[in-house]
Amino acid sequence: MSLLQNKKIILGISGGIAAYKCAELTRRLTEQGAQVRVVMTSAAKAFITPLTMQAVSGNPVSDDLLDPAAEAAMGHIELAKWADLILITPASADLMARLAQGMANDLLTTLCLASAAPTVISPAMNQQMWAAPATQRNLEQLKKDGRFIIGPGVGEQACGDVGAGRMLEPAQIIEYLPAFFLPQVLQGTKVVITAGPTQEAIDPVRYISNHSSGKMGYALAQAASWLGAQVTLVSGPTNLVPPQNCECIAIKSTEQMLSACQQVSQQANIFIACAAVADYKAASIESHKIKKTQHQLNLQLTKNPDILATIAQQVDKPFSVGFAAETQDVARYAKDKMQRKNLDMIIANDVSNQQIGFNSEQNAVTVYWPDGELDFAAEDKSTLAIKLLQLIAKQYTQQTQ
Ligand code: C5P
């Protein structure tokens, strides 16, 4: 189930060319089960019609503070109380200025004053207008007032300029929203997560690797960020786009992953090793491409360092969580691994079951910690990741109290 299911969202649109993206944004929100009520400034109506927004949201569009008919249907205070979240995009320089001043001179600004719901502002405007001292001053004021700012994006603009001020894409905006509906149990913590496979070079064009997709690690990074953590994702090569709010360090080999982890784990509170690290690497990497002249080729392999065990042996180690992919006797091997690697928790999955785990969209796991265990039935990796991080947060908090 989407985290936006049944959430009541006011989508505030102000006057900017990017307003056309709001039709798709609304479709995506409603597809995820959110209830959307659109509020437009009078300038917004020059860029996208209320009829379009009514059709895509399935609700009448509100645009006038002083319309007796609209007030009779759902008054502005009622609408302000209805919302779980106010999302404003594109937020123009003018709207930001009015919000920063606490003005209530149209319906949208009035709703922002009258609502206790979190307000997420995603600005979009010409890069020069964005950089203008007055806009930056208003931005700072809005942040001080507790408004949440996302974006703007950087790139080519409708006016031909290039720079900061593009409206974020609807998918990017939606990626930020679940955080506003989840208790921020990891607020103030730094979490490092490893993900994906590693690649061990044999010669300049070949390597040894595995089929890890990185999906579970990326889902954990996204979930940790939604729960309020500052996340660093150390990832081997994958086809996935890193979550927006995470710092991503891209590596290839196990040695590179280890040195990145050693660096970032020094400030980390929690370390989660989800990567499918190659157990062996080539004893020596050929400097030229190996020619296929021999009938048989023997590769000399040597053991890779254990990243998780190395981090978990540190004196000031972070709360350390490992994964155990097993095909038999899962509980015994997992608990043994937890002890051997000095872990605070281990997440075990039975990889003999083809429906779950490696490369699939779903996973089912059992989590062990020194004085407890918990089963998680098969579900999509994104939902499972949130539950796992909530459990990790609970155990971490208990340990540090
Ligand atoms: O020993 P095994 O590979 O089964 O351990 C799995 C756990 O250890 C995973 O959390 C994995 O990310 C981590 N690991 C590691 N470095 C290695 C091997 C495994 O961090 N070289």
Side-chain angles (χ1 to χ4, degrees):
M1 192 178 83
S2 163
L3 290 161
L4 300 182
Q5 185 75 36
N6 294 327
K7 296 293 181 267
K8 301 187 188 95
I9 297 175
I10 289 179
L11 174 61
I13 310 176
S14 65
I17 181 63
Y20 75 90
K21 293 186 188 174
C22 289
E24 195 202 333
L25 174 61
T26 305
R27 281 301 298 263
R28 286 183 175 240
L29 288 168
T30 54
E31 269 165 22
Q32 295 206 25
Q35 298 175 44
V36 182
R37 286 189 170 264
V38 175
V39 176
M40 301 175 80
T41 64
S42 56
K45 290 185 278 181
F47 294 95
I48 187 163
T49 69
L51 191 60
T52 301
M53 295 313 300
Q54 177 178 309
V56 289
S57 68
N59 282 313
V61 170
S62 313
D63 54 6
D64 193 351
L65 184 59
L66 306 171
D67 176 359
E71 277 295 299
M74 194 190 229
H76 64 277
I77 298 294
E78 212 179 329
L79 188 54
K81 287 195 172 134
W82 171 86
D84 295 319
L85 181 93
I86 299 178
L87 169 63
I88 301 178
T89 191
S92 63
D94 174 70
L95 182 69
M96 285 177 67
R98 290 189 292 125
L99 287 173
Q101 289 301 312
M103 292 176 82
N105 57 350
D106 66 3
L107 180 61
L108 185 52
T109 49
T110 304
L111 286 172
C112 288
L113 282 186
S115 176
T119 307
V120 182
I121 299 173
S122 184
M125 64 195 73
N126 165 269
Q127 51 86 25
Q128 197 69 48
M129 293 174 77
W130 174 250
T135 305
Q136 291 301 309
R137 204 166 54 233
N138 292 329
L139 176 69
E140 288 314 309
Q141 186 59 53
L142 289 168
K143 286 184 193 166
K144 270 191 213 147
D145 292 348
R147 310 297 194 191
F148 299 93
I149 311 290
I150 57 172
V154 179
E156 202 170 315
Q157 303 201 291
C159 56
D161 281 8
V162 177
R166 273 177 65 87
M167 180 173 151
L168 294 179
E169 297 305 320
Q172 291 177 303
I173 292 174
I174 288 177
E175 210 184 296
Y176 281 101
L177 302 187
F180 296 97
F181 303 112
L182 288 167
Q184 299 293 285
V185 287
L186 288 173
Q187 187 76 50
T189 63
K190 289 188 177 159
V191 178
V192 175
I193 299 171
T194 69
T198 58
Q199 289 180 354
E200 307 301 337
I202 300 170
D203 68 14
V205 293
R206 303 182 179 96
Y207 58 79
I208 304 169
S209 192
N210 59 62
H211 289 296
S212 168
S213 64
K215 282 176 195 157
M216 193 67 230
Y218 279 56
L220 288 167
Q222 175 74 89
S225 153
W226 280 340
L227 295 173
Q230 192 181 322
V231 181
T232 304
L233 177 64
V234 183
S235 175
T238 70
N239 291 323
L240 305 173
V241 180
Q244 289 187 82
N245 258 356
C246 303
E247 179 198 9
C248 186
I249 303 176
I251 55 82
K252 286 204 168 121
S253 70
T254 302
E255 293 284 356
Q256 289 169 350
M257 183 175 269
L258 174 63
S259 82
C261 287
Q262 281 176 316
Q263 222 165 39
V264 290
S265 71
Q266 278 168 15
Q267 294 90 37
N269 305 98
I270 298 171
F271 179 73
I272 307 173
C274 190
V277 180
D279 293 322
Y280 290 91
K281 63 180 174 184
S284 64
I285 304 170
E286 297 296 326
S287 50
H288 293 286
K289 188 179 168 195
I290 301 168
K291 293 288 173 199
K292 50 176 183 280
T293 46
Q294 308 163 47
H295 190 61
Q296 273 197 343
L297 178 71
N298 291 320
L299 269 181
Q300 184 87 31
L301 299 179
T302 172
K303 212 159 180 209
N304 257 327
D306 192 310
I307 299 166
L308 176 58
T310 309
I311 301 295
Q313 300 302 333
Q314 290 171 0
V315 184
D316 243 352
K317 76 170 177 97
F319 185 91
S320 302
V321 183
F323 274 76
E326 307 291 349
T327 54
Q328 55 175 344
D329 220 350
V330 178
R332 187 161 63 87
Y333 284 123
K335 285 179 184 170
D336 174 62
K337 205 168 284 181
M338 173 163 67
Q339 207 165 35
R340 214 168 6 95
K341 298 198 188 196
N342 195 30
L343 308 182
D344 299 288
M345 187 179 267
I346 194 144
I347 301 167
N349 56 343
D350 184 348
V351 284
S352 64
N353 182 348
Q354 300 273 310
Q355 306 302 311
I356 53 169
F358 239 51
N359 239 326
S360 91
E361 295 301 328
Q362 290 210 327
N363 206 356
V365 299
T366 305
V367 183
Y368 302 94
W369 59 99
D371 55 358
E373 64 178 80
L374 199 55
D375 283 325
F376 291 87
E379 61 185 327
D380 70 273
K381 287 180 175 173
S382 155
T383 314
L384 178 64
I386 294 170
K387 292 181 181 170
L388 290 174
L389 259 310
Q390 283 168 333
L391 178 62
I392 291 169
K394 190 171 158 212
Q395 293 305 317
Y396 164 73
T397 312
Q398 268 178 21
Q399 196 186 81
T400 50
Q401 262 167 3

